Amino acid sequence: MLLADLPRKFSSDVGLLNISSENILKGMGMTKPDADEYLRALIEQSIEGCKLLARPCIGFTIVDNPEIDLTNRQLGLNDEVFNTGKIVTSFLKKSESIVVFACTIGHDVELLAKQQMRNNESLEGLITDLIGSELVESLVDYFHDYIESELIKSQIKVSNRFSPGYCGWPVSEQHKLFSVLAKNNCGINVTSSALMLPVKSVSGLIGLGKNIRKLDYKCQLCTSIKCTLRTNSK
Amino acid sequence: MNQEEIINKIATCVEFGKVNKAAPYPPAMKGEDGADEYTKHALEMGVKPIDILNDALISAMDRVGEKFSQKKIFVPQMLISAKAMGAAMEHLKPFFSSGEVKRKGKFIIGTVAGDLHDIGKNLVAMIVEGAGWEVIDLGVDVKSAKFIQAINDNPGAIVGLSALLTTTMESMKNIVADIKRDCPGVKLVIGGAPVSEDFKNEIGADAYSPDPQKAVVLLNSMVA
């Protein structure tokens, strides 16, 4: 099995997580020149505060020999059949193994954001919320890069990562994904609506294989033609 | 200071986000009174609450919404303006309770089941409230039953449904169908990044709003 010597659950040093104020501004529809000194200082201060609250944790498992059914757009892992849809199934079709992962930064950043919202500090709450999202995305980036750097030594490549709720893969499949993971994976619970708690968590799949490729995400692959998040990149 | 001047002061504070004297923002107004102090002072002067609401708060938030639609300001400035408006509204609350000041109507809003994204929904809620509506915010991950309960508790309310994930558009479709079945006649407005005018037609909602300001225009037209 690939990565056999790696622990299946580990914590990351929050110092390794790389987030910038530009990304937070982007989340508010702004670029650096749009922000005044007050806002820039507030964001920098909030980033430092949130880093103190974050408790990064990553849990994963690796399933070898996945059953990939392009006709029915499904992926079989152990006893579970995932309805991953056209885009995800196609991206993973050359996988020899699949990494199933879920990671979180814990509850505390989310709780701070909620507290700020309750205290009528909507801007501070929004910034905290965006920083929480950036921190957990950065954690997944860190994990993805880590897996990639470990496997490159064995000439194994990694795919893009895919999460329930995106690229046409129904969010309801979250339950199946967690059934493949170890119980109490980083303390993440899945609600009846298939959402993860703590909210600042990300789950998903990464394909591994000698012939797999990681591509830039292409909005053109998505079927939501009129989505306002859609970009024109080819 | 006469009535017109103090109304203008309140409106300026809301438009530029000066909450109160202690607030550091905007830097150009540091140390000056804010929406909080001016509203209190206006009421003490005998300015009618309805005039403060219509001529200062709603008109200021209308300008804020327009500037946001035109991308002249961004989410942070809108939130700071909403906070300033909230500080002024605190002083008007007793007049809403007594019935002396009436709102335009009730607007129930929530992010649909399966979706936890609330930023867009919160922005719409704040701008709609600033436009003189009573907003009932059901939060995120809201199922049909909760919307229907809120509609039954608030007859005549208009409902807003928000979604960010493309995969929760199906959830929105189901909730619209459930509400239309159980509460015929209720007006439904949808919004969120993946939805569109075409999707509104497909699922049988009454209106689609691409931004908070358009939502206000739609709501106002529904009660006109």
Side-chain angles (χ1 to χ4, degrees):
Chain A
M1 182 188 277
L2 298 164
L3 295 169
D5 54 341
L6 284 184
R8 289 297 182 260
K9 179 180 170 183
F10 61 98
S11 299
S12 158
D13 178 354
V14 75
L16 295 170
L17 305 182
N18 184 25
I19 62 169
S20 69
S21 55
E22 278 83 359
N23 281 352
I24 307 305
L25 287 168
K26 197 176 165 190
M28 297 189 288
M30 303 172 80
T31 58
K32 206 170 178 180
D34 299 323
D36 57 25
E37 190 55 41
Y38 173 84
L39 183 60
R40 284 199 292 266
L42 180 61
I43 292 172
E44 290 298 338
Q45 187 186 341
S46 302
I47 288 173
E48 292 313 309
C50 289
K51 279 188 167 182
L52 293 174
L53 292 174
R55 299 285 177 270
C57 180
I58 303 161
F60 70 100
T61 190
I62 297 175
V63 181
D64 293 323
N65 305 315
E67 290 173 31
I68 295 163
D69 179 348
L70 288 172
T71 308
N72 293 310
R73 299 165 179 178
Q74 291 177 328
L75 171 71
L77 298 176
N78 297 338
D79 296 329
E80 287 291 355
V81 176
F82 291 83
N83 295 301
T84 36
K86 183 181 174 184
I87 299 166
V88 178
T89 315
S90 171
F91 265 84
L92 295 175
K93 66 184 176 189
K94 292 181 180 171
S95 303
E96 294 161 39
S97 302
I98 299 281
V99 177
V100 184
F101 70 90
C103 60
T104 184
I105 57 159
H107 278 292
D108 289 352
V109 174
E110 167 197 342
L111 291 177
L112 174 63
K114 282 185 177 165
Q115 186 185 36
Q116 289 169 324
M117 291 285 187
R118 270 199 306 273
N119 292 343
N120 199 25
E121 295 172 335
S122 303
L123 176 58
E124 290 81 355
L126 171 64
I127 290 170
T128 301
D129 187 79
L130 289 170
I131 293 169
S133 299
E134 279 296 314
L135 279 171
V136 74
E137 281 299 329
S138 176
L139 181 63
V140 191
D141 285 342
Y142 164 81
F143 173 64
H144 205 158
D145 292 346
Y146 174 74
I147 295 277
E148 189 170 17
S149 64
E150 288 294 315
L151 289 172
I152 201 77
K153 300 165 195 167
S154 316
Q155 311 290 314
I156 304 289
K157 295 171 191 160
V158 302
S159 73
N160 299 64
R161 58 177 185 258
F162 300 96
S163 299
Y166 295 89
C167 294
W169 182 14
V171 73
S172 56
E173 299 260 307
Q174 194 79 264
H175 295 287
K176 292 181 189 173
L177 188 147
F178 272 81
S179 74
V180 176
L181 288 166
K183 280 190 176 170
N184 193 29
N185 184 82
C186 293
I188 302 170
N189 291 308
V190 183
T191 69
S192 58
S193 313
L195 299 170
M196 290 178 286
L197 300 174
V199 172
K200 299 303 177 191
S201 302
V202 174
S203 65
L205 307 176
I206 300 170
L208 310 177
K210 285 193 167 61
N211 297 313
I212 210 155
R213 284 194 302 161
K214 190 159 80 173
L215 303 170
D216 290 337
Y217 182 79
K218 290 182 171 67
C219 272
Q220 275 62 27
L221 291 169
C222 180
T223 51
S224 295
I225 305 295
K226 296 197 172 172
C227 173
T228 55
L229 297 176
R230 196 175 181 93
T231 67
N232 292 320
S233 59
K234 300 284 179 189
Chain B
M1 205 180 304
N2 63 31
Q3 173 163 335
E4 190 183 344
E5 285 168 339
I6 200 157
I7 288 277
N8 285 340
K9 285 280 188 190
I10 298 168
T12 301
C13 289
V14 171
E15 185 175 351
F16 295 98
K18 181 66 176 168
V19 179
N20 55 30
K21 192 165 190 165
Y25 190 88
M29 295 169 81
K30 198 173 178 181
E32 294 178 19
D33 280 348
D36 180 22
E37 290 86 2
Y38 283 126
T39 306
K40 185 169 180 280
H41 186 43
L43 290 168
E44 286 166 356
M45 280 170 61
V47 180
K48 287 181 183 168
I50 189 70
D51 292 339
I52 297 174
L53 180 70
N54 288 335
D55 300 341
L57 306 186
I58 292 179
S59 67
M61 287 306 284
D62 195 37
R63 286 197 292 278
V64 169
E66 273 175 30
K67 285 196 281 186
F68 182 75
S69 290
Q70 294 162 2
K71 294 187 167 39
K72 288 179 179 169
I73 62 166
F74 300 90
V75 171
Q77 291 96 330
M78 192 153 75
L79 289 175
I80 296 173
S81 287
K83 186 175 178 179
M85 183 206 69
M89 280 285 207
E90 276 299 310
H91 296 287
L92 301 187
K93 267 185 183 170
F95 303 98
F96 289 124
S97 305
S98 69
E100 187 178 335
V101 180
K102 286 192 168 45
R103 287 186 164 114
K104 290 178 183 171
K106 289 183 179 180
F107 181 55
I108 298 166
I109 188 167
T111 303
V112 299
D115 203 324
L116 284 172
H117 295 89
D118 63 356
I119 292 169
K121 183 262 299 169
N122 289 346
L123 282 173
V124 172
M126 280 187 264
I127 293 298
V128 169
E129 187 176 23
W133 287 73
E134 181 179 351
V135 174
I136 297 150
D137 188 346
L138 302 180
V140 297
D141 190 18
V142 182
K143 297 183 175 71
S144 296
K146 194 169 177 183
F147 278 110
I148 290 166
Q149 182 65 52
I151 293 165
N152 290 334
D153 292 344
N154 298 280
I158 297 170
V159 179
L161 306 172
S162 170
L164 183 77
L165 299 174
T166 53
T167 47
T168 51
M169 290 163 72
E170 187 65 22
S171 173
M172 184 179 268
K173 182 180 177 179
N174 295 335
I175 292 170
V176 166
D178 290 343
I179 294 174
K180 287 288 179 186
R181 184 194 63 227
D182 290 3
C183 312
V186 170
K187 299 282 186 197
L188 302 177
V189 183
I190 65 165
V195 306
S196 62
E197 187 73 23
D198 287 347
F199 184 67
K200 174 215 88 179
N201 294 332
E202 184 189 323
I203 66 174
D206 298 287
Y208 157 68
S209 174
D211 61 49
Q213 188 59 18
K214 179 77 188 299
V216 170
V217 173
L218 284 167
L219 291 175
N220 289 343
S221 71
M222 287 173 175
V223 291

